[in-house]
Amino acid sequence: MPALATEVTPEIMAKYEVVIGLEVHVQLATRTKIFCACPTSFGAPPNTNVCPVCLGLPGALPVLNRHAVELAVMTGLALNCNIPPSSVFARKNYFYPDLPKGYQISQYDKPIAEHGFVDIVVNGVPKRIGVTRAHMEDDAGKSIHEGFKDSDRFTYVDLNRTGTPLVEIVSEPDMRSADEAYEFLTELKQTLQFCAVSTCDMEKGHLRCDANVSVRLKGAPEFGTKAEVKNVNSFRFVKMAIEYEVQRQIAVVESGGKVVQESRLFDPGSGETVSMRSKEHAHDYRYFPEPDLLPLQISDAWRTSIQATMPELPQSRRKRFVDAYGLREYDAQTLTSTRDLSDYFERAAKASGDARSAANWVMGDLAGALKADNKEITESPVSSEQLGELLAFVAKGEISNKLAKDVFEKMFTTGDSAGAIIEREGLKQISDTSALDKIIDEVITANPKQVEQYKSGKTQVVGFLVGQIMKASKGQANPALVSQMLKDRLG
Ligand SMILES: [Zn+2]
């Protein structure tokens, strides 16, 4: 934490309450833009995915993208929002070099979704964070300030992003710590990714976050003056930015100053926020209803049909994994971090008949092997059904857990099934007592000292003898059976 004018001790911190609200811009996963048929694909050469509509040329008329509306409705439903039957697009007027229309088409007093919530858990304590609204809007282009040989003198503009569909999600000022904000964002991102309304890929700017932060003395009736930290591009940075802002604002108040309402930028290098522009005179965007678009009507039937296509959301899935499969809370959390991972686990659990073992393998051996190969779960050379088959062999006692690890490694490199590898390499567990008798005889003869120790009461030596038998059987003996037979033999 960088030095501040006034030192903010924990005692001083404890006098204050932190108030945080978040505004999150999410790019909807449509193939084309919100008001024209230009592609939304990332990385195209500058100014190639454009047309008269998204360039804002005179006379061009917007045509609303139905898929974008469906994804926005789904976003609202996933955040437990009310979807009013009618919402209205509005012009938000401002000038910016990467905004050729001179206005953004957004929604103002009648958004597509409102009055929702997101449930989070921080340090074991559940909390409900209100969602004020989610509204649709088009994105602006990009000003590029670096990367060209004359970037010291010129700014370049790429309008490919202009007209990309966004939803802006506005939370209530319900969060009281940076940790709560971090959890809210994490839950929000997972939920939206499960619904596939957005990739939420922060590196590509598909999810961008502004944080409104203020402090007040505990018990004070009114909110303090807020500063807005703009466009933070990772959740970790959001947390750091909020932590810095809280200290900075308390230091200002403690030293007799006043917090100024302003926009600030977070600098990950220094861990500080710096003033961007004063907001003392709030922008007047002169909102008015967009004359080129009719009010957007969402019928009950349409809303219901969108709802019917939604998957089970992460929160409900986590609960079900705990209740139905007996998983630990933490494991359920890990296994629902993405929809692909939770689908994989659930298929493997069903195929294996042993959900807890499937959970351990997915989070352990499989995760390790994927990481070593730099692969995603969707690229796993071992399918969920194949992993389930392997674990079923273990559950039925046909191979030991230790051998299963060897078989798994072979499955991962060859893509062959567990059954094929076990068959080919003759790895089936030996549960045939006459075959085991022979090996036990050999081990008893070879280790008279340990046998003597056992008979004199040092029964823990049985572990050593079982180990020798396992070794002699190349790991194929059934260890539980061996242990029992050995004890019977040694009396
Ligand atoms: Zn276009």
Side-chain angles (χ1 to χ4, degrees), residues 33 36 38 50-51 54:
K33 293 184 180 181
C36 64
C38 292
V50 290
C51 74
C54 53

Side-chain angles (χ1 to χ4, degrees), residues 424-436:
R424 186 168 69 220
E425 309 205 354
L427 295 176
K428 269 212 171 143
Q429 188 154 277
I430 306 171
S431 296
D432 166 7
T433 49
S434 63
L436 289 177

